[in-house]
Amino acid sequence: MTHESAPPDELTFWSFVDFAVRKARQELPAVDTDAMRMALTLSRASSMVIYDLESTVHRPRGLTWPGFRVIFALWLAGPMEAKTTADISGTSRAALSALLNTLERDGLVVRERASHDRRALQLSLTEEGYGAILGGFRAHNRRESAWAEALEPHERTELVRLLNKLMAGSTDAKAKFRS
Amino acid sequence: MTHESAPPDELTFWSFVDFAVRKARQELPAVDTDAMRMALTLSRASSMVIYDLESTVHRPRGLTWPGFRVIFALWLAGPMEAKTTADISGTSRAALSALLNTLERDGLVVRERASHDRRALQLSLTEEGYGAILGGFRAHNRRESAWAEALEPHERTELVRLLNKLMAGSTDAKAKFRS
DNA sequence: TCAGATTCATCAAACATTTGATCATTTGGG
DNA sequence: CCCAAATGATCAAATGTTTGATGAATCTGA
């Protein structure tokens, strides 16, 4: 059949992007390959970094990646309403509600009813939660450094600029957000 | 206490990166802020794009994001062993095993014992699976295009180059991979 | 003031993921 | 040739995510 682009003998997580883009163009000539390559590469790079951080730093310390994100937000922004925590940690409210059951059970976070609005929750870190994020984040940041070394300083800056520009464009793209 | 960097009134998923980097430097002066900003921005950008694609394109069509990744790999690379599918789709073998229960039940994929090695599985798309990915991917790619428009063509190229360089560096960083 | 619309959190069901264990098959070295 | 080690898939238990529904508190406008 396809004498064009038979899958190479060894297709890997990395090399699949190139292969997929070529193959998709054959199957669907109208495909926007630049956009395809960009999204595919973005999600793969992110997935690699996150998997590495989660499996080498956080899981061994008893935290999942989502758990880390929440504790991290509470560490830096201080006690706040659950809605805000969900927003800035990138967790939906329903997911946060479930996540808090674990974090509270493990003694890292406390839930309290907000005084000004009895529907709302006020979240804060316990002493133990504070200790967990301090130790965890140091290791986390060391690992981030190891990754970052792959790029020159000006390249890191440029990468961040491009990603920010991409996120800023989400408004025009009418992107859907978590709620 | 902290008269330095009190959280701004409205902290959002976007603006949290800047705030977090400033605040982390106060709390832990030794932090590598460039690496921190890079990883934080990368994971957020990716999460936004993926959430948008999943919730606007795939879930409404009855596919989850992980399900899409697997079907997508099978579409482009053709029938292959489950181990390879796991590799190139970025799924662990255990997760793929569970995922296949759903995909097979929904009639999108078939599992068959490989002839040359009776431990191995051969995966292939059904007609229905082929139809699903064809329609789904068109919509997926249109959405990717909308995102990509935020960047100039040369910026897209540069973003991809930087992400690839980052991934290539994972070897030096001794990153952990899914298995 | 008060009824309807909103907002906040939670629940429920289905699904996917992680780590670590288990089972079957295949491979490799003595 | 045969047994130990390695490999492929699955299982089990714990966790987190999604969408859509529900309950409770607050807000709004007539």
Side-chain angles (χ1 to χ4, degrees), chain A residues 147-167:
Chain A
W147 278 97
E149 275 174 11
L151 301 184
E152 303 297 328
H154 73 90
E155 290 177 324
R156 290 198 275 278
T157 307
E158 180 65 1
L159 176 55
V160 167
R161 184 185 77 80
L162 293 172
L163 291 171
N164 275 321
K165 188 169 178 183
L166 188 65
M167 288 199 272

Side-chain angles (χ1 to χ4, degrees), chain B residues 33-138:
Chain B
T33 48
D34 279 2
M36 178 184 173
R37 172 176 258 115
M38 190 189 80
L40 214 38
T41 308
L42 174 61
S43 73
R44 272 157 200 252
S46 172
S47 149
M48 283 179 69
V49 173
I50 291 176
Y51 181 77
D52 176 62
L53 289 169
E54 176 169 22
S55 64
T56 68
V57 175
H58 301 294
R59 291 262 181 188
R61 290 166 182 265
L63 264 188
T64 61
W65 177 252
F68 165 72
R69 289 194 333 248
V70 166
I71 303 285
F72 178 72
L74 277 167
W75 172 45
L76 294 176
M80 61 188 143
E81 286 190 18
K83 182 193 191 331
T84 312
T85 311
D87 273 355
I88 69 180
S89 69
T91 312
S92 73
R93 280 192 248 152
L96 179 60
S97 187
L99 192 42
L100 284 173
N101 292 331
T102 310
L103 296 176
E104 197 172 31
R105 184 206 59 195
D106 293 346
L108 304 175
V109 168
V110 278
R111 270 195 258 229
E112 289 167 312
R113 222 75 219 182
S115 43
H116 56 86
D117 183 337
R118 280 182 304 165
R119 290 169 305 182
L121 281 185
Q122 183 78 5
L123 303 183
S124 47
L125 237 43
T126 62
E127 270 308 311
E128 194 182 340
Y130 184 72
I133 190 59
L134 221 64
F137 181 69
R138 273 185 241 267

Side-chain angles (χ1 to χ4, degrees), chain A residues 88-109:
Chain A
I88 69 180
S89 69
T91 312
S92 73
R93 281 192 246 150
L96 179 60
S97 187
L99 192 41
L100 285 173
N101 292 332
T102 311
L103 296 176
E104 199 173 30
R105 185 206 58 196
D106 292 346
L108 304 175
V109 167

Side-chain angles (χ1 to χ4, degrees), chain B residues 6-24:
Chain B
D9 266 2
E10 66 139 72
L11 214 40
T12 72
F13 187 62
W14 304 352
S15 68
F16 181 66
V17 175
D18 270 331
F19 170 76
V21 168
R22 278 199 311 278
K23 186 80 182 188

